Amino acid sequence: LIIESRAVTQFDLRGIWAGPYWPDLPEAGLYRPVVSTTYASNWAFAPGRPAPFIATNVLLHAATTLMAFWLLLKLFPGRSGLAAAAAGIFAVHPIHVEAVVGIVGRAEILAALFTIAAYGLWLDAEKSNSPLRRILPAPVWLLGLLSKESAIVLPVVLIAHRLGLAGASATGKRLRLTDISWAVALGIGILLRVAAIGPPRSPDATFVDN
């Protein structure tokens, strides 16, 4: 994904954004240009050296932990101790080891970072009359979607939140600008994906186990 990717080692952004995540396995059906762009940035500053790549993962995980703390404060206002404890568990939980220590686990970290950020921004957007703040969560989520496909789960979480099934009480159930922006972001993500790797198809389970 890094050493054998000509687009990554030559910082070819056009090649990264117009090609599959696995350069020699387009049949895997993965498109993660945001992650590959960060690989290219690391390579440009430290060609062939793994330590800066892993250090970047650690910093991104720290940022994700802070983002989780920020989101928890919004979900549980006035309970900063609970938010800090939960974020602390998130920071050191063994389940994150593979994502942080393994360089290509960065896809997991970036997807989480942007998804959690989009969730928090959405909570702010629900209370805002600013058009900019209302549409901001969707492009942030799109960055998560272009980092790893699992970010697709966020709209389902937000629907559950709006219906009062998750998080704080919903502020309303009517369609609004924020809702439309999610569909636009998803459409952009699908168009980019189709342009780069073709129409959606079932991945080859031999190469893709997640």
Side-chain angles (χ1 to χ4, degrees):
L1 285 169
I2 298 172
I3 296 175
E4 298 180 5
S5 172
R6 186 180 181 88
V8 168
T9 57
Q10 296 190 0
F11 203 83
D12 178 9
L13 293 181
R14 181 176 181 179
I16 288 173
W17 285 78
Y21 183 57
W22 287 92
D24 56 345
L25 290 174
E27 65 272 19
L30 299 181
Y31 180 63
R32 301 172 182 174
V34 171
V35 181
S36 296
T37 299
T38 67
Y39 294 155
S41 299
N42 272 143
W43 188 275
F45 285 102
R49 295 175 55 198
F53 282 83
I54 298 173
T56 299
N57 277 19
V58 173
L59 291 174
L60 287 171
H61 177 61
T64 305
T65 299
L66 291 175
M67 195 64 66
F69 176 63
W70 174 70
L71 174 62
L72 288 162
L73 286 176
K74 292 179 179 297
L75 291 172
F76 304 99
R79 304 191 67 182
S80 57
L82 173 65
I89 293 172
F90 179 91
V92 300
H93 199 287
I95 200 171
H96 298 308
V97 170
E98 183 181 2
V100 178
V101 176
I103 293 172
V104 294
R106 187 176 301 178
E108 313 271 1
I109 306 173
L110 287 172
L113 176 64
F114 290 122
T115 300
I116 293 171
Y119 192 172
L121 291 171
W122 177 82
L123 292 173
D124 291 338
E126 290 285 277
K127 305 173 184 177
S128 174
N129 293 321
S130 167
L132 179 60
R133 293 187 69 178
R134 287 188 174 188
I135 65 173
L136 183 59
V140 173
W141 170 64
L142 177 60
L143 292 174
L145 198 58
L146 295 176
S147 297
K148 188 169 183 180
E149 297 74 14
S150 53
I152 193 69
V153 72
L154 180 59
V156 178
V157 175
L158 301 186
I159 290 172
H161 187 115
R162 180 76 63 80
L163 295 176
L165 301 176
S169 300
T171 58
K173 300 184 175 90
R174 58 186 176 82
L175 187 68
R176 60 196 70 182
L177 180 62
T178 309
D179 303 316
I180 298 171
S181 66
W182 294 109
V184 173
L186 179 60
I188 293 173
I190 291 173
L191 288 175
L192 288 171
R193 181 185 179 91
V194 170
I197 65 174
R201 59 186 179 276
S202 297
D204 187 339
T206 301
F207 299 105
V208 184
D209 62 0
N210 60 356

